[in-house]
Amino acid sequence: MIRFCSLGSGSSGNALVVEIGQTRLLVDCGFSVQELERRLARVQLSPEHLSAVLVTHEHADHIGAAGPLSRRYGLTVYTSPGTRIAARDNRFAHVQEIQADSPFEIDDAWVHPYTVPHDSREPTQFAISDGAHRLVLMTDAGHISRHMVEIADQAHALLLECNHDPAMLQAGRYPPSLKRRIAGGYGHLPNHAATELLQRMDRTRLRHVIGMHLSTDNNQEALARAALACGLGCATHETEIATQDEGFGWRTTAAA
Ligand SMILES: [Zn+2]
Ligand SMILES: [Zn+2]
């Protein structure tokens, strides 16, 4: 069984906690150390409870205070060589370089880093398993690759980016260059891409789908929920959305 919660999701900061047995992984640290401590306390944790930090890529909403956190608490940061180079200001206490599609273990957790099309140096997103259940984090991707569908197949929990509604993005206040970046093939997944991913993947084991990394300017929760529900067969399915301020509380991959 995997337990997981989000401490916040969106362009102002991301952090996810994944717990397998006594192993607790922090995936991304897009907050200050003080803010992360405050958000961990909300889920009855402190940094001393963390086993390691995984960083997906060097954008500030993900790498944030991973360096200071690792130095203050002696934590090892797992990240790709490209992210490490791009994050040169963000000195880590200990680093373990990882390669996309070379799974590794951290205590009780099996971690599979995989590539996504995103405009950073060497981004990796993560599938994490306890041997029986599989949680897939899939954000910060400009389009759905075939590899992403394979990674999502048979997930028990899928944390899937629903960044924007294309019409809202185009009508919104962002400058044209930023609009092009977000909507481009190496930007962020629009709601309809989340629908597409759900339609293409093998959903036989899927128990949790949570919409992630919503744009506060260019999306609405109701639109993201509708896109996820459509991907799940347009049923009145209970879909959930992670928020910037709250993330979402503890969930587990165990059967209800
Ligand atoms: Zn991001
Ligand atoms: Zn990013």
Side-chain angles (χ1 to χ4, degrees):
M1 179 188 91
I2 306 173
R3 237 166 51 107
F4 57 100
C5 65
S6 168
L7 305 179
S9 178
S11 57
S12 299
N14 296 273
L16 176 76
V17 180
V18 180
E19 179 184 274
I20 295 174
Q22 293 301 307
T23 306
R24 281 182 210 89
L25 307 178
L26 181 73
V27 184
D28 287 332
C29 182
F31 301 103
S32 68
V33 173
Q34 191 181 26
E35 179 64 14
L36 186 87
E37 289 169 342
R38 197 179 70 77
R39 290 180 182 236
L40 281 170
R42 284 201 313 233
V43 294
Q44 287 77 51
L45 290 177
S46 69
E48 289 90 350
H49 293 115
L50 299 175
S51 309
V53 181
L54 278 54
V55 173
T56 58
H57 64 299
E58 70 273 19
H59 289 161
D61 57 320
H62 297 267
I63 203 162
L69 182 80
S70 83
R71 294 198 298 278
R72 187 168 307 175
Y73 294 98
L75 289 162
T76 298
V77 175
Y78 291 73
T79 199
S80 69
T83 300
R84 183 185 187 182
I85 291 166
R88 57 190 177 280
D89 296 337
N90 214 322
R91 290 174 296 114
F92 305 124
H94 312 282
V95 189
Q96 189 68 50
E97 288 191 351
I98 58 174
Q99 301 289 343
D101 295 312
S102 294
F104 58 92
E105 289 173 12
I106 302 175
D107 301 329
D108 297 329
W110 178 90
V111 182
H112 182 156
Y114 68 96
T115 54
V116 286
H118 190 54
D119 52 7
S120 54
R121 184 142 177 178
E122 192 181 0
T124 57
Q125 292 288 326
F126 296 102
I128 300 174
S129 172
D130 62 355
H133 293 169
R134 180 178 176 84
L135 174 142
V136 174
L137 174 64
M138 190 171 282
T139 70
D140 297 77
H143 62 273
I144 304 286
S145 67
R146 185 189 305 193
H147 189 46
M148 286 162 65
V149 178
E150 291 165 359
I151 292 287
D153 277 344
Q154 302 190 7
H156 294 74
L158 177 62
L159 312 183
L160 179 58
E161 175 166 46
C162 297
N163 180 259
H164 61 277
D165 171 73
M168 285 185 72
L169 177 66
Q170 289 315 321
R173 62 182 175 84
Y174 284 9
S177 60
L178 183 56
K179 288 181 181 178
R180 276 196 300 276
R181 198 216 126 209
I182 292 170
Y186 292 84
H188 289 278
L189 292 180
N191 292 336
H192 65 78
T195 305
E196 179 201 332
L197 187 276
L198 287 167
Q199 287 171 341
R200 286 172 62 184
M201 68 177 279
D202 174 355
R203 304 197 306 269
T204 49
R205 298 185 183 173
L206 197 58
R207 291 181 183 143
H208 293 276
V209 178
I210 304 182
M212 305 290 286
H213 215 303
L214 268 70
S215 167
T216 48
D217 289 271
N218 304 311
N219 210 350
Q220 292 173 353
E221 283 193 20
L223 295 174
R225 276 181 210 281
L228 295 174
C230 186
L232 294 165
C234 293
T236 51
H237 217 284
E238 269 301 304
T239 55
E240 299 177 280
I241 299 294
T243 64
Q244 182 69 79
D245 290 340
E246 301 294 328
F248 57 80
W250 286 112
R251 305 279 188 274
T252 102
T253 55

